[in-house]
Amino acid sequence: HFAETFDLVVASHSMPLEKADELNKFLKHAWDAVIEGGALITIAFFRDTYSPILTYTNSKKIHDSRYDTLLSSLHRLGNTHIFAVTSNIKTNFVSDIEQIFKPFLFYEHENAGVRGGNRMRKMIWKRFWAGSCFVVPTLHTVTITERQNFI
C-alpha cells in the first residue's frame, strides 16, 4: 500500500499481464495510489496490435486475451477510456527488428526460427526502410481510468 497518493499514476511495462490474479493485485495497488478525481493511465502492447509485421509476414492474426483481462479489470475500477496510439521503432539493423518481433511471430516448430527468414528480411527492407533507418509503426493500447469524486 502506498503512503502517498497522486492525481496521476502511470503503468506500462511494469504490469504483469501474463496472470489475471497478479494483474488485478497490481492494478488494485496502483488504483489505491490514485486520489479522488485522479486517473490511472496504462500503456500496453498486445500480440494482435503488432499488425504491420504480422500483416507483411502473412502470420495468422490472433486475439490476445490479455487485452480483455486488462480492460475488464480497469472497467471494474472506474470509467475507462481506450485509445490506440502509434509509436515508431527506429533502428539501423534488420536484426533488431527480427529480435523485437520474434516472440510475436509464429514458428513452424520451436527450433525452426522465424518462418521465412530471408523473405522476412526482404519484407522489412521493402516496407520499413525509411532512407536512413528502419521505421516500424507499433500500436499501443492506452487507457485512462478515472477515479470519480463522490460527495
Side-chain angles (χ1 to χ4, degrees):
H1 208 16
F2 291 98
E4 296 182 82
T5 54
F6 306 91
D7 57 350
L8 180 65
V9 174
V10 179
S12 182
H13 294 296
S14 58
M15 292 188 295
L17 293 170
E18 300 306 320
K19 294 184 178 177
D21 58 332
E22 290 178 19
L23 176 63
N24 287 325
K25 185 188 291 186
F26 176 90
L27 290 174
K28 182 186 179 331
H29 289 297
W31 190 245
D32 287 345
V34 177
I35 64 168
E36 292 294 326
L40 170 64
I41 294 179
T42 67
I43 304 167
F45 311 96
F46 297 101
R47 178 179 294 223
D48 53 352
T49 61
Y50 281 103
S51 57
I53 291 289
L54 295 176
T55 298
Y56 294 123
T57 58
N58 295 320
S59 294
K60 295 177 186 173
K61 186 171 181 177
I62 62 164
H63 181 70
D64 191 332
S65 63
R66 298 174 308 164
Y67 176 83
D68 299 323
T69 302
L70 175 63
L71 293 185
S72 174
S73 297
L74 291 171
H75 283 301
R76 282 193 300 271
L77 295 175
N79 187 25
T80 301
H81 307 277
I82 306 161
F83 304 91
V85 177
T86 301
S87 66
N88 292 306
I89 296 173
K90 295 181 180 182
T91 182
N92 293 320
F93 305 101
V94 171
S95 59
D96 290 344
I97 297 170
E98 290 175 321
Q99 287 301 314
I100 290 168
F101 291 103
K102 195 174 187 178
F104 299 94
L105 298 172
F106 290 83
Y107 294 82
E108 299 297 326
H109 55 81
E110 192 173 311
N111 297 318
V114 176
R115 186 183 343 165
N118 284 335
R119 187 172 64 91
M120 183 175 158
R121 281 183 214 95
K122 286 178 186 176
M123 177 279 303
I124 290 170
W125 274 98
K126 182 179 179 181
R127 302 288 185 178
F128 303 116
W129 181 250
S132 59
C133 66
F134 296 98
V135 179
V136 180
T138 307
L139 188 63
H140 304 43
T141 299
V142 177
T143 66
I144 300 173
T145 304
E146 302 169 313
R147 181 165 236 162
Q148 303 295 322
N149 282 319
F150 295 104
I151 301 174

